[in-house]
Amino acid sequence: HKLVAAYGATGQFYTQIKNGAPFQVFLAADDSTPAKLEQEGETVKGSRFTYAIGTLALWSAKEGYVDAQGDVLKTNQYQHLSIANPKAAPYGLAATQVLEKLQLREATKSKIVEGQNITQAYQFVSTGNAELGFVALSQIYKDGKISSGSAWIVPATLHDPIKQDAVILNKGKDSAAAKALVDYLKGPKAAAVIKSFGYEL
C-alpha cells in the first residue's frame, strides 16, 4: 500500500471532508471533530479510536530563553507569542486555556500572533518572527529530548486533554489500505514511534 499524507488544521480538514475531499482515513488533533463526523454519518461505524494524547510545549528557538517552569511568560519581556488558531486547531485552544489558567490572557493579548494551524505557529517561532510560542511537543521532541532551542513542557493539568482520534471515513470503507493503516496505528510498532515524539497513549 502507498500512503499519501496531507497535513493541515483539523477544522480545515473537517470542511474539506464535508465538501467531498477524497480522504479515506482522518487523523485529527482532537477527539471532537471525528466524533462530529461520526454523528453526521461520514465515517465507518466503530472505527474511531484515540491514537495519541498530545502534549503542549512553550518553545523558543533560542537556547536558554524558555525556563523549565515557563516563567518567561510572566516576565512580559517578549514582543510576540505564537499560538495556533484556537477555533481551528486543538493545540491553539489548549494554549488559550493555559493563558487563562495562568491569568495571562489580558497581558498577552497584544503580543499574540496566530498561525492557521500548529505547523504555522511553529514556523513563526523557528524563523524568529516570534520569540516564543505554544507548539506541539512532537514538533520539537525526538528520542526523549528537546531537539533544539529551549522549552517548557506544559503540565496537562493546565488545559483539557488533547485526545487525538483517528477514524476511517466513508471513502475508505472498502479500502484494504485504510484498514491496514488503522491496524498498524493500533499496534506496538506505531506506539513506539508515537511515544518517541513525546505523545502519551
Side-chain angles (χ1 to χ4, degrees), residues 3-89:
L3 176 71
V4 181
Y7 301 92
T10 296
Q12 289 168 333
F13 279 132
Y14 169 81
T15 306
Q16 290 173 15
I17 290 162
K18 293 299 285 182
N19 287 322
F23 301 129
Q24 295 186 340
V25 178
F26 180 37
L27 276 75
D30 67 6
D31 57 351
S32 54
T33 307
K36 194 176 178 192
L37 287 166
E38 192 175 60
Q39 283 162 0
E40 293 164 351
E42 302 281 355
T43 69
V44 173
K45 263 202 168 92
S47 68
R48 182 166 63 93
F49 70 102
T50 301
Y51 67 92
I53 296 168
T55 303
L56 188 67
L58 180 70
W59 178 66
S60 172
K62 300 177 199 164
E63 295 284 341
Y65 191 83
V66 177
D67 58 287
Q69 276 71 46
D71 289 335
V72 65
L73 269 180
K74 297 169 191 157
T75 64
N76 234 347
Q77 299 296 305
Y78 50 92
Q79 298 305 305
H80 299 107
L81 173 65
S82 172
I83 71 167
N85 175 350
K87 289 187 178 75

Side-chain angles (χ1 to χ4, degrees), residues 21-184:
F23 301 129
Q24 295 186 340
V25 178
F26 180 37
L27 276 75
D30 67 6
D31 57 351
S32 54
T33 307
K36 194 176 178 192
L37 287 166
E38 192 175 60
Q39 283 162 0
E40 293 164 351
E42 302 281 355
T43 69
V44 173
K45 263 202 168 92
S47 68
R48 182 166 63 93
F49 70 102
T50 301
Y51 67 92
I53 296 168
T55 303
L56 188 67
L58 180 70
W59 178 66
S60 172
K62 300 177 199 164
E63 295 284 341
Y65 191 83
V66 177
D67 58 287
Q69 276 71 46
D71 289 335
V72 65
L73 269 180
K74 297 169 191 157
T75 64
N76 234 347
Q77 299 296 305
Y78 50 92
Q79 298 305 305
H80 299 107
L81 173 65
S82 172
I83 71 167
N85 175 350
K87 289 187 178 75
Y91 283 91
L93 178 62
T96 59
Q97 291 171 344
V98 172
L99 293 173
E100 200 76 63
K101 272 250 171 86
L102 298 175
Q103 297 174 333
L104 291 170
R105 198 76 188 268
E106 281 307 308
T108 55
K109 215 181 205 166
S110 63
K111 295 172 184 280
I112 286 178
V113 286
E114 217 173 84
Q116 279 184 321
N117 52 45
I118 196 66
T119 304
Q120 205 173 34
Y122 168 84
Q123 282 165 350
F124 287 154
V125 184
S126 67
T127 55
N129 289 320
E131 296 95 316
L132 71 168
F134 284 103
V135 301
L137 180 62
S138 59
Q139 293 171 302
I140 57 162
Y141 198 78
K142 199 141 184 357
D143 301 325
K145 58 182 188 292
I146 304 295
S147 51
S148 67
S150 52
W152 169 49
I153 298 173
V154 178
T157 50
L158 292 178
H159 58 80
D160 294 342
I162 307 169
K163 282 174 91 178
Q164 303 191 186
D165 279 10
V167 70
I168 298 177
L169 300 165
N170 286 342
K171 284 190 167 56
K173 187 157 58 183
D174 302 316
S175 164
K179 192 184 177 312
L181 173 62
V182 166
D183 287 346
Y184 172 76

